[in-house]
Amino acid sequence: MSKVSEPIRVAHIMGKMMSGGVESVVMNYYRHIDKTRVQFDFIIDEDSTIVPHEEIKRLGGRIHKVPPYQKPVSYHKALVKLFRENNYRIVHSHINTLSIFPLFAAKRAGVPVRIAHSHSTAGKGETARNVLKYTLRPFSRIFPTHFCACSEHAGRWLFGNKLYSRGNVTLVKNAIDLSKFMFDSQIREDVKTELSVKDKLVIGHVGRFMKQKNHSFLIDIFEQVHLRNPDSVLLLVGEGELEQEITEKVKRLGLDNCVKFLGVRNDVHRLLQAMDIFLLPSLYEGLGMVAIEAQAVGLKVVASNMVPKEAKITENFSYISLSQPAEKWSKNILSPASNDRKSGIKQVTDAGFEIGVEAKILLLFYERETVS
């Protein structure tokens, strides 16, 4: 009797797991990939705050905690030891310019397939972080054997135009389980009732409270919307280091009765049903997965011009320059739109964001590269 082969075990470098967009992408792929052929291990910083331990364990994955990269010597030693002990054939790093550190360790440990994955870019307002990004970016091509990105914009930003134009960067789309995002009027009514926002214009945003997501300007926009439509409310989903600052700004502007801080949620697909407009004024994005989800459920999306062009899938999506004042944004948000909520599932599927299809593509990529 022939022995059943073990699945390829891929070490995913996650950095700090804090319920961010990258974690959502990797977990979506993990849930839908054929785990008899590929298994995921999650390498996370020991100061991670939100880790789906039970789900990962149930799916057959393992979690390894290592010192944070801010402790470079102990971080490097721990990774080299971990990679050697587990004899990984693939290390897939999701920490953008910081991937230089785990992939150097992977090379030292003799890992044959070392993937650098670009999920983001850089933008104004994050001086210290940008200094580090631009310092490390020229070295992003040294230790990987393979290059991946969530969008052309993210791929060109990290790996350069020449490498991207030669076809050396594989696009791994931020695919989603579209079955969760089919518009359902009953769910919409249920959630609106739960949140006490019936008969309100519901504007929503999903994202960590960090500089990149531009929450302060988002509140400025909503203030202008609320002046023109007092029956409007804002739903903010997420948490982060700037949450207290934004909470104080909302109170200072007298908006605390119409801005709801919902924290980290595992039912974002339900919350999107209750919204009328999705707002994404980011300073930069690798793609903007939440905008894809919002379009799938049929929402009008208003995004900054720093969100990549690949994020626009339906005609219900509009860009506005961040140089425009909040008043101009509010006019776009309140511009007349069809009252008919139309699902964007077909367009999102046609654009290649169905996780069932994309997970099979990633599976074949892993298998192909481990035998080549």
Side-chain angles (χ1 to χ4, degrees), residues 125-166:
E126 294 185 320
T127 304
R129 184 174 296 194
N130 285 341
V131 168
L132 180 62
K133 285 182 178 181
Y134 283 108
T135 300
L136 294 177
R137 186 168 64 162
F139 305 100
S140 63
R141 298 182 294 275
I142 296 177
F143 301 117
T145 57
H146 297 73
F147 309 90
C148 291
C150 64
S151 67
E152 177 180 346
H153 181 53
R156 289 186 182 277
W157 185 87
L158 184 56
F159 305 123
N161 290 325
K162 186 180 295 185
L163 194 73
Y164 191 93
S165 296
R166 287 204 306 257

Side-chain angles (χ1 to χ4, degrees), residues 206-256:
V206 180
R208 278 186 54 76
F209 285 84
M210 56 191 297
K211 202 78 175 178
Q212 172 194 352
K213 300 301 181 180
N214 209 10
H215 282 88
S216 183
F217 185 52
L218 190 154
I219 298 303
D220 292 338
I221 296 168
F222 179 69
E223 181 187 27
Q224 292 297 317
V225 170
H226 195 64
L227 283 172
R228 291 166 173 77
N229 184 346
D231 285 328
S232 57
V233 295
L234 175 64
L235 306 181
L236 296 176
V237 183
E239 61 180 29
E241 59 266 26
L242 297 181
E243 185 173 356
Q244 184 60 38
E245 177 183 313
I246 299 303
T247 302
E248 292 171 358
K249 179 169 183 173
V250 166
K251 290 180 179 178
R252 190 167 63 250
L253 295 174
L255 297 172
D256 40 320

Side-chain angles (χ1 to χ4, degrees), residues 101-323:
F101 300 116
L103 294 183
F104 172 48
K107 184 172 184 179
R108 281 200 63 203
V111 178
V113 180
R114 304 181 298 275
I115 304 169
H117 195 141
S118 178
H119 289 274
S120 189
T121 57
K124 297 177 180 178
E126 294 185 320
T127 304
R129 184 174 296 194
N130 285 341
V131 168
L132 180 62
K133 285 182 178 181
Y134 283 108
T135 300
L136 294 177
R137 186 168 64 162
F139 305 100
S140 63
R141 298 182 294 275
I142 296 177
F143 301 117
T145 57
H146 297 73
F147 309 90
C148 291
C150 64
S151 67
E152 177 180 346
H153 181 53
R156 289 186 182 277
W157 185 87
L158 184 56
F159 305 123
N161 290 325
K162 186 180 295 185
L163 194 73
Y164 191 93
S165 296
R166 287 204 306 257
N168 295 125
V169 179
T170 300
L171 285 183
V172 179
K173 295 190 175 182
N174 291 359
I176 57 178
D177 181 356
L178 290 173
S179 65
K180 291 183 176 181
F181 297 93
M182 185 73 70
F183 177 66
D184 188 311
S185 58
Q186 185 58 58
I187 294 176
R188 174 175 168 81
E189 289 305 308
D190 291 346
V191 178
K192 285 173 78 76
T193 299
E194 291 168 18
L195 297 175
S196 301
V197 295
K198 294 196 77 170
D199 302 318
K200 300 285 188 180
L201 174 69
V202 183
I203 298 168
H205 173 82
V206 180
R208 278 186 54 76
F209 285 84
M210 56 191 297
K211 202 78 175 178
Q212 172 194 352
K213 300 301 181 180
N214 209 10
H215 282 88
S216 183
F217 185 52
L218 190 154
I219 298 303
D220 292 338
I221 296 168
F222 179 69
E223 181 187 27
Q224 292 297 317
V225 170
H226 195 64
L227 283 172
R228 291 166 173 77
N229 184 346
D231 285 328
S232 57
V233 295
L234 175 64
L235 306 181
L236 296 176
V237 183
E239 61 180 29
E241 59 266 26
L242 297 181
E243 185 173 356
Q244 184 60 38
E245 177 183 313
I246 299 303
T247 302
E248 292 171 358
K249 179 169 183 173
V250 166
K251 290 180 179 178
R252 190 167 63 250
L253 295 174
L255 297 172
D256 40 320
N257 288 328
C258 49
V259 177
K260 294 180 179 290
F261 292 82
L262 302 182
V264 173
R265 302 283 293 248
N266 60 9
D267 62 344
V268 170
H269 56 288
R270 291 183 74 247
L271 296 175
L272 289 172
Q273 301 273 0
M275 298 174 190
D276 299 297
I277 298 162
F278 191 86
L279 190 53
L280 192 66
S282 303
L283 298 176
Y284 60 92
E285 289 285 351
L287 177 69
M289 186 175 74
V290 288
I292 307 299
E293 295 172 342
Q295 288 172 92
V297 85
L299 282 173
K300 174 180 179 178
V301 176
V302 181
S304 79
N305 59 320
M306 303 309 293
V307 174
K309 64 182 186 300
E310 291 99 324
K312 180 175 181 177
I313 297 172
T314 71
E315 292 304 311
N316 226 9
F317 188 114
S318 60
Y319 288 103
I320 303 183
S321 171
L322 285 175
S323 64

